[in-house]
């Protein structure tokens, strides 16, 4: 079977879905690899390295898709009118597409994939179970995004992070506040601590308290009965009541006045990002402070943030990064490609070397979105 790896065509995307190292592992599983020319260049993986690993190079996207039984992508394929190329039109019927598809929000894409008779797996829907940890693209990319968020915030902040004792005087350490303690938030805490900041963090999930403290940061939250029950079975934060949100907002409003750096990470799957930092909170911050809104692409945790821009409001710099992981593309691609190898390995029949899609498998059932001309994921099938 042949796996095609096209160049990513969505704006600001510099990652690639396979690396020379992952090509070698996929070859060992029995696959042939076709990489579109230039697919890895933005992530510092030249064509020659793919050839040395055993892949063939396709002259363009059409040539790559034409031979593909399986397509690996970082982001969802483009449709007519979305960019330079209609990638959906290049997918042959029966092709297996494995990528991040924004399946919960991009219904038009799912309809197009079903109409094209594509078997599509949405990597963002892989269940967060122990067996699937090595396949979890959300975690691998969020980990790097949390690191990059702090580095970008430090670059925007006009002062030093650590305390410095010099003959000319003392530089006081920056205060960094991380809002949301998932994978990205934990890495942000660790990175800010390494840079010498005084770090605090908040989250509505009680299990995060110990995690925050283990990294040497202060935990900030209203710890009432609702807080103690504020986590889903899958490990996500529940949406809190208006009463709790008001109490938490009051606590955060007082805390945020003292902060130099605020990094927000809060997302609710399939929903608009919750507002955590209001305009009144921004007004209360010190001039020159920085807010980096990691959720800006999903509506933002701060209503003043703008996707892909750094803006200044009330003397505060507000950074809205469109794609943090793409800013560290070499390592992000390496981890993403490894996730894909781990995802596809159990699907390969050891005798025939063909894909064997077991619909009873929890990972397959959780991530398969289209098959045989229809949308098949239980949470995405239209009601009625």
């Amino acid at each position: 079977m042949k796996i095609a790896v096209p160049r990513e065509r969505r704006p600001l995307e510099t990652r690639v879905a396979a690396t020379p190292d992952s090509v070698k592992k996929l070859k060992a599983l029995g696959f042939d690899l076709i990489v579109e020319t230039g697919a890895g260049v933005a992530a510092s993986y030249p064509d020659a390295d793919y050839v040395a690993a055993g892949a063939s190079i396709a002259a363009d996207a059409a040539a790559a898709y034409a031979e593909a039984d399986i397509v690996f992508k970082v982001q969802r394929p483009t449709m007519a009118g979305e960019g330079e190329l209609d990638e959906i039109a290049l997918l042959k019927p029966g092709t297996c597409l494995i990528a991040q598809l924004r399946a919960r929000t991009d219904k038009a894409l799912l309809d197009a994939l079903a109409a094209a008779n594509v078997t599509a797996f949405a990597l963002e829907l892989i269940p967060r179970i122990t067996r699937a940890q090595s396949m979890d693209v959300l975690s691998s990319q969020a980990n790097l995004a949390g690191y990059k968020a702090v580095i970008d915030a430090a670059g925007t902040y006009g002062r030093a992070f650590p305390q410095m004792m010099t003959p000319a005087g003392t530089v006081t350490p920056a205060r960094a506040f991380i809002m949301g303690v998932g994978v990205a938030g934990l890495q942000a805490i660790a990175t800010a601590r390494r840079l010498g900041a005084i770090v605090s963090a908040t989250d509505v999930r009680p299990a995060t308290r110990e995690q925050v403290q283990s990294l040497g940061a202060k935990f900030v939250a209203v710890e009432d009965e609702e807080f103690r029950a504020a986590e889903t079975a899958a490990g996500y934060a529940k949406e809190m009541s208006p009463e709790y949100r008001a109490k938490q907002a009051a606590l955060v409003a007082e805390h945020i006045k003292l902060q130099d750096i605020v990094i927000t990470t809060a997302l609710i799957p399939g929903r608009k990002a919750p507002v955590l930092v209001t305009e009144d909170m921004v007004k209360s911050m010190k001039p020159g402070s920085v807010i980096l809104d990691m959720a800006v692409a999903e509506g933002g945790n701060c209503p003043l943030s703008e996707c892909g821009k750094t803006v200044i409001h009330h003397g505060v710099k507000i950074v809205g990064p469109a794609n943090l992981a793409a800013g560290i593309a070499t390592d992000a691609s390496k981890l993403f490609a490894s996730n894909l190898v781990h995802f596809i390995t159990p699907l390969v029949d050891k005798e025939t070397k063909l894909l064997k899609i077991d619909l009873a498998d929890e990972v397959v059932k959780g991530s398969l979105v289209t098959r045989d001309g229809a949308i098949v994921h239980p949470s995405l099938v239209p009601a009625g």
Side-chain angles (χ1 to χ4, degrees), residues 346-366:
L347 302 183
V348 179
D349 186 280
K350 293 181 180 179
E351 294 182 3
T352 66
K353 300 298 182 182
L354 300 175
L355 284 192
K356 185 177 181 180
I357 298 175
D358 179 5
L359 298 177
D361 181 271
E362 191 172 358
V363 173
V364 170
K365 186 169 58 177

Side-chain angles (χ1 to χ4, degrees), residues 6-11 13 61 65 71-92 95-103 106 108-110 112-114 116 118-124 369-370:
R7 177 170 60 84
E8 296 295 322
R9 285 176 162 79
R10 292 198 175 269
E13 187 52 74
Y65 280 105
V71 173
F72 279 2
K73 282 183 61 60
V74 176
Q75 293 210 41
R76 64 202 191 283
T78 51
M79 297 190 292
E82 284 192 310
E84 63 182 84
L85 186 68
D86 181 357
E87 292 182 277
I88 299 292
L90 298 179
L91 286 162
K92 299 180 300 183
T95 301
C96 178
L97 171 66
I98 305 175
Q100 296 179 113
L101 299 177
R102 295 178 68 93
D106 197 339
L109 177 72
L110 294 190
L113 290 171
V118 171
T119 298
F121 288 92
L123 293 171
E124 73 274 14
V369 292
T370 64

Side-chain angles (χ1 to χ4, degrees), residues 130-210:
T130 301
R131 180 166 64 87
Q133 286 180 346
S134 62
M135 313 171 190
D136 188 351
V137 298
L138 294 182
S139 291
S140 74
Q141 303 305 289
N143 188 53
L144 288 172
Y147 161 81
K148 188 67 164 59
V150 175
I151 298 302
D152 287 358
T156 303
Y157 185 51
R159 303 169 191 169
F161 262 46
Q163 177 173 301
M164 298 182 187
M165 309 288 287
T166 78
T170 299
V171 175
T172 57
R175 293 181 176 273
F177 184 36
I178 314 302
M179 303 185 73
V181 188
V183 173
L186 288 169
Q187 184 57 249
I189 292 168
T191 303
R193 286 276 295 159
R194 291 188 196 105
L195 291 178
I198 297 171
V199 184
S200 56
T202 188
D203 197 289
V204 298
R205 294 168 298 159
T208 61
R209 186 180 197 275
E210 186 175 341

